[in-house]
Structures are given as structure tokens and as C-alpha cells.
Amino acid sequence: MQLSNKKILTMKNNKILKTVIVLFIGISILSCKNDDDNSIENDTTSNLIGEWQRSDSDDQYDYKLIFNTDNTGIRTLLETNADGQVISNASTYTWSTSETLLNFEFDDESLTTPFSINSNGQLLLSGLSNLLFNKLQ
């Protein structure tokens, strides 16, 4: 039994249509995944913007990191010694992120640390401190 030319053309067209649909779905899925990954990184980076205070800060000790939108920042440290003398310093830095890594560039040093923001909105910089930072602004 022979298939007619019309049936052969219909079968070829169906095969081509199925191939096009599978390719379209595959490309769509890959495009969505890439957008999602970028938005997660951008959300995490934008959540860094603001002033963060280390959780052990009190009247005797205060450590803060300020992240500006232009990828610059300020690190401040204030300590009161046993004599009541206050010692403070501030240093500027630039910062950038790549996935879950945060890179600081200070005048005299570079530091790359894993970072995350937990469900309570606290920042963990494991390469800088084992203590959490709380967002002030």
C-alpha cells in the first residue's frame, strides 16, 4: 500500500511543526531561567544598599558598613576604652557582588567574602565577621 503525496507532505509538515514547537518551548524556558537568575542577584545587591550595624554594637563599641548605590561605601568603627577615651575611624571603600560573593576594595586591602541576607533581613559576611549586621536604613 502506497501513501499518497498529500499524506506524505502532511506527515512532513507535522514533523516540522512539532520540531518548531519543541525548539520554541526550549528557548522560552532557557530565557526565563536566565532572567530569574539575574533578578535574584539584582534583588540581593539592591538589598545591600543602606547602613548596616554589627549586632554586637553598643555604647562602648559600634561597627557600621554603609553601602551606596554607586558601589562606594564607608566603614566606621567607634570604640571606648577603659579610660573612657573614644577612638573612632572611618574608611571608604568600593564594593561589587558576583552571585553570593561580596568584594570590598579598601585603600590598602582587598577582601572577598561570601554574603547572604537571612529571612530576618540580617546580613552575614562570613569572611569579615561571624556576627550578623542589622540594617538601619
Side-chain angles (χ1 to χ4, degrees):
M1 183 169 153
Q2 274 190 321
L3 295 174
S4 69
N5 286 341
K6 190 175 184 180
K7 286 184 179 180
I8 292 172
L9 284 175
T10 303
M11 289 172 55
K12 285 183 178 180
N13 286 341
N14 284 341
K15 188 174 182 177
I16 291 171
L17 182 61
K18 287 179 183 178
T19 303
V20 169
I21 289 172
V22 168
L23 285 173
F24 178 75
I25 290 171
I27 291 169
S28 297
I29 289 171
L30 290 174
S31 296
C32 292
K33 183 181 182 322
N34 190 18
D35 291 346
D36 291 345
D37 289 345
N38 288 339
S39 66
I40 290 169
E41 182 176 338
N42 289 339
D43 287 347
T44 304
T45 299
S46 66
N47 287 336
L48 282 175
I49 306 300
E51 185 174 1
W52 295 86
Q53 182 178 44
R54 205 164 82 176
S55 59
D56 66 338
S57 293
D58 58 22
D59 292 339
Q60 304 297 312
Y61 179 84
D62 188 38
Y63 186 83
K64 291 180 186 170
L65 295 170
I66 300 169
F67 294 91
N68 298 316
T69 56
D70 63 355
N71 291 80
T72 62
I74 301 170
R75 171 176 62 174
T76 64
L77 176 62
L78 179 119
E79 292 181 275
T80 305
N81 65 20
D83 298 336
Q85 183 181 22
V86 177
I87 302 166
S88 67
N89 69 37
S91 57
T92 59
Y93 59 86
T94 58
W95 62 275
S96 61
T97 61
S98 176
E99 296 181 14
T100 59
L101 294 177
L102 175 61
N103 184 54
F104 291 97
E105 293 290 333
F106 298 99
D107 287 334
D108 55 350
E109 69 176 302
S110 250
L111 172 69
T112 299
T113 177
F115 80 102
S116 62
I117 298 175
N118 67 20
S119 60
N120 293 325
Q122 296 171 303
L123 176 63
L124 175 61
L125 301 170
S126 59
L128 184 66
S129 172
N130 291 328
L131 298 170
L132 295 168
F133 288 80
N134 298 310
K135 193 166 191 178
L136 301 177
Q137 298 180 11

